[in-house]
Amino acid sequence: MNSRKLLSETRRTFPATKAPCQQPSWILIVDVTSPSWSNTCSVLSEALENTLSLACSLTGPCRVPLLSLYVVQNQQECLLPFTQVKENFARIQACISEIRSLPREGSFPQGGHGVVQAVQDGLQQFKQYSRHTAAGGSTNSSVEITILTSQSSKEMVKQLEKTLKDIDLVSLRRIQVIEVLKRDFLEPEDVELSLSAEEPSSNDIAILGMDIDVQTVEDNVISLEMLFKTWLHDYSTEREHLHLLLPSGGFSHATAPKSTLMCLKCDLQERLLDPALLSGTADGSVRAADLNSPCQMAAWPATVLHKLRVVKGLKSEGVCESVLYGLPFIIKPTSCWKLDWDELEINQHTFHALCHSLLKRKWMLLAKREPQNTGPNWNITVQSYYVIIPSDSATLLVRAVATRELLLPLTFPALLAEHPERVQGPVESALNSLEVEVAYNPLHLKSNLYKYLKSTLYKPLQRQQAQPRDQRPDRHQPKQHQSRAKATVAPLLMAPSPVQASRAAAVRRDSCSLFPKKYDEFLQ
């Protein structure tokens, strides 16, 4: 997926929300006027249903708090007014089924005016919803819009810029214009996903300081699924997540005071979802990462500022993978909007310099986690340690590493130099029959997790039977839709009780490599 992100300096002044969860609400606008909609319809529906089954199953604060969905045919149509995603999977699934039932093979003429009208209508709907819920204490004050279209993304941006320049966009954080490309000759596993942003061109357009993200994506399930999974990341930029503390280079090791430290301000990003957070545990309890635990560090939600003090350098070949444990996290330079622009730039350059130096030296870093709260001197604080691993990208990988107390005794018998031919031959024959891949690609393996989550989340809607599409009242007119949106806001606040599920299998330790992989490497 090639992207060109259009950034403006005014994002640094985006007002902070007071809500504990600062995730934006999402408006998804699907342009179904493409001649290739027949193929896109099925892969889009599957990718969206897979991602939202994860969002509905994850315990803790909801990562996709509100979702609204529009389709653009001759006119825009709101299939799903703003709905709380968690515990409303049945309603979302019914909406996705309606998408599958839309006419195929480009039944509608192309044109971008319906998309622009859907953007306007969605913003108005969000404004009405926010006013209604403000009395209840909810302060979800930002929304992001994702537009899926096969039209030219440049033309779409021009239409948006022309139409939205006179509209109040205070609550709008970003618009994504996703140009879906048809590639019949590519299989899903061969699709190249490039997540690195290109340099902004001279024709980049920013609407009132708002970010516009113009991307292209292949019309297959994997690419669209990865696009929708970006909704599950932490979008809070209220403050940095991690302070990486290194000794100052201005002093010798012997004379440097302990208080002289270089501080790199970083953000933590999940590499993968914790299976223990999916739909609770077998006994009905939730085994989320305990922020007070000395042996765990959580990247979601980013409510705690972690501090890691680097104590030693380690030769990369001298670290045994058997002493690493827990979920890996990715460390990136922070994008906290509260920091001065110059400070952000210096911090980023320093972070890149650290990555280069570690690669050149073939080092890892051993870091000690600083306690969150400094209590009385007689309180005993359990210390935890982490290994920080460089890669060939502008990121670092952090893994928890075992200490003396956690280590169990184990003997490693010596490997025999010679074996009888009667056993060596069958072993070699068995290995020769295996297909060999250069690298492990997790996108090639499926565990049926999506099917399991959908089966546990499935609940028939307790409503009257849906009317056929040709008998339904017209939902295209803005005035009618707005009045209906007001009437449907209050019931949306009610949700059924959560569905308990069995504990998902724990993630196996990655025995292939310690270095974080990019999606484009996985997909090659």
Side-chain angles (χ1 to χ4, degrees):
M1 179 168 56
N2 301 320
S3 68
R4 183 176 74 251
K5 195 170 185 180
L6 321 183
L7 297 174
S8 63
E9 295 187 7
T10 55
R11 182 174 182 178
R12 303 198 304 272
T13 61
F14 187 84
T17 174
K18 297 180 181 179
C21 178
Q22 299 177 13
Q23 293 294 95
S25 302
W26 288 92
I27 299 174
L28 177 62
I29 300 174
V30 181
D31 181 7
V32 302
T33 61
S34 165
S36 61
W37 171 247
S38 176
N39 180 67
T40 305
C41 174
S42 58
V43 296
L44 166 67
S45 301
E46 182 179 350
L48 184 61
E49 190 176 35
N50 289 345
T51 303
L52 293 178
S53 69
L54 288 173
C56 292
S57 301
L58 287 167
T59 57
C62 189
R63 305 189 181 212
V64 187
L66 295 171
L67 176 66
S68 180
L69 196 150
Y70 285 78
V71 294
V72 176
Q73 305 173 28
N74 294 324
Q75 301 181 41
Q76 83 280 4
E77 180 180 2
C78 182
L79 295 184
L80 184 71
F82 271 109
T83 302
Q84 294 182 9
V85 171
K86 212 162 190 179
E87 303 170 3
N88 275 307
F89 185 72
R91 184 173 185 181
I92 293 172
Q93 201 170 38
C95 175
I96 295 175
S97 298
E98 195 165 356
I99 293 178
R100 290 190 174 103
S101 68
L102 291 173
R104 309 286 183 97
E105 300 299 339
S107 302
F108 305 99
Q110 291 194 10
H113 297 291
V115 172
V116 175
Q117 291 172 2
V119 171
Q120 293 175 296
D121 193 65
L123 290 174
Q124 180 65 22
Q125 184 194 149
F126 180 75
K127 191 174 182 180
Q128 294 172 353
Y129 189 99
S130 300
R131 286 175 180 174
H132 182 88
T133 56
S138 174
T139 55
N140 191 297
S141 58
S142 65
V143 63
E144 298 202 10
I145 298 176
T146 298
I147 301 171
L148 291 178
T149 181
S150 63
Q151 300 183 46
S152 169
S153 56
K154 293 182 179 180
E155 292 299 323
M156 184 71 67
V157 170
K158 289 180 181 179
Q159 295 176 23
L160 290 170
E161 189 255 353
K162 181 180 179 180
T163 307
L164 301 180
K165 61 183 179 181
D166 299 325
I167 297 179
D168 181 12
L169 301 176
V170 173
S171 60
L172 181 58
R173 181 183 294 189
R174 180 181 60 159
I175 291 181
Q176 284 181 309
V177 180
I178 311 297
E179 186 176 350
V180 182
L181 301 179
K182 186 175 178 62
R183 293 291 184 269
D184 291 332
F185 54 87
L186 286 178
E187 294 296 328
E189 58 266 26
D190 297 327
V191 176
E192 182 177 352
L193 257 165
S194 176
L195 298 183
S196 58
E198 300 175 1
E199 291 296 325
S201 66
S202 58
N203 295 325
D204 292 343
I205 301 173
I207 305 174
L208 297 181
M210 175 205 59
D211 291 347
I212 302 180
D213 193 4
V214 180
Q215 303 177 8
T216 59
V217 63
E218 307 288 349
D219 62 345
N220 59 72
V221 176
I222 292 179
S223 297
L224 288 169
E225 188 178 296
M226 291 303 171
L227 170 69
F228 294 137
K229 277 186 176 180
T230 60
W231 297 356
L232 304 180
H233 277 306
D234 184 5
Y235 278 82
S236 65
T237 56
E238 185 73 13
R239 65 174 178 180
E240 60 271 24
H241 304 161
L242 170 71
H243 283 179
L244 186 59
L245 308 175
L246 295 95
S248 175
F251 301 89
S252 65
H253 178 74
T255 61
K258 293 183 179 180
S259 59
T260 305
L261 296 171
M262 177 192 303
C263 178
L264 287 178
K265 298 180 179 180
C266 310
D267 290 335
L268 285 174
Q269 193 171 29
E270 292 169 298
R271 185 64 182 94
L272 29 100
L273 294 172
D274 187 351
L277 299 181
L278 290 171
S279 296
T281 56
D283 57 1
S285 61
V286 175
R287 196 189 66 82
D290 184 4
L291 298 179
N292 298 318
S293 171
C295 299
Q296 295 191 44
M297 182 167 61
W300 177 272
T303 56
V304 176
L305 175 62
H306 302 284
K307 294 183 179 181
L308 294 182
R309 183 191 295 265
V310 176
V311 294
K312 286 183 180 179
L314 300 171
K315 292 290 186 180
S316 297
E317 64 272 13
V319 178
C320 178
E321 290 186 49
S322 66
V323 298
L324 304 179
Y325 66 93
L327 291 175
F329 292 110
I330 304 299
I331 302 178
K332 295 181 177 181
T334 186
S335 56
C336 174
W337 63 269
K338 288 186 176 181
L339 299 182
D340 181 77
W341 189 259
D342 293 335
E343 184 180 359
L344 281 173
E345 187 176 19
I346 294 174
N347 184 78
Q348 186 179 53
H349 288 316
T350 306
F351 186 93
H352 285 219
L354 174 63
C355 294
H356 279 292
S357 297
L358 291 177
L359 284 175
K360 182 179 178 181
R361 295 169 180 252
K362 296 182 180 180
W363 277 17
M364 299 181 186
L365 296 177
L366 178 65
K368 178 175 70 174
R369 182 182 176 187
E370 297 287 285
Q372 298 292 340
N373 299 311
T374 56
N377 294 333
W378 58 83
N379 281 0
I380 298 176
T381 302
V382 178
Q383 298 175 341
S384 57
Y385 290 83
Y386 296 83
V387 169
I388 298 172
I389 308 165
S391 74
D392 55 359
S393 66
T395 60
L396 298 171
L397 183 70
V398 58
R399 295 284 306 275
V401 65
T403 57
R404 168 185 169 183
E405 295 89 342
L406 298 177
L407 200 64
L408 292 175
L410 183 64
T411 58
F412 296 90
L415 189 63
L416 298 177
E418 297 181 358
H419 309 279
E421 182 61 29
R422 66 178 182 275
V423 297
Q424 185 69 27
V427 169
E428 290 292 336
S429 177
L431 294 179
N432 290 337
S433 65
L434 294 176
E435 180 183 354
V436 180
E437 294 187 359
V438 177
Y440 170 67
N441 187 342
L443 298 177
H444 287 167
L445 299 182
K446 294 192 293 185
S447 63
N448 291 326
L449 177 61
Y450 290 138
K451 292 182 180 179
Y452 170 77
L453 294 178
K454 293 172 190 177
S455 66
T456 58
L457 290 169
Y458 176 71
K459 252 185 188 179
L461 286 174
Q462 302 297 325
R463 294 183 179 180
Q464 61 183 2
Q465 188 175 0
Q467 295 177 331
R469 293 183 58 85
D470 55 355
Q471 299 179 13
R472 274 185 262 159
D474 185 11
R475 293 184 286 178
H476 301 306
Q477 299 302 325
K479 291 184 179 179
Q480 295 177 2
H481 169 64
Q482 290 176 10
S483 61
R484 185 177 61 260
K486 291 181 180 179
T488 56
V489 163
L492 298 183
L493 301 178
M494 305 298 295
S497 59
V499 180
Q500 298 297 336
S502 301
R503 175 177 298 177
V507 174
R508 292 184 178 273
R509 176 176 58 85
D510 183 3
S511 59
C512 298
S513 173
L514 291 176
F515 300 105
K517 296 287 186 180
K518 300 178 183 177
Y519 281 126
D520 55 355
E521 294 177 5
F522 287 144
L523 289 161
Q524 287 176 352

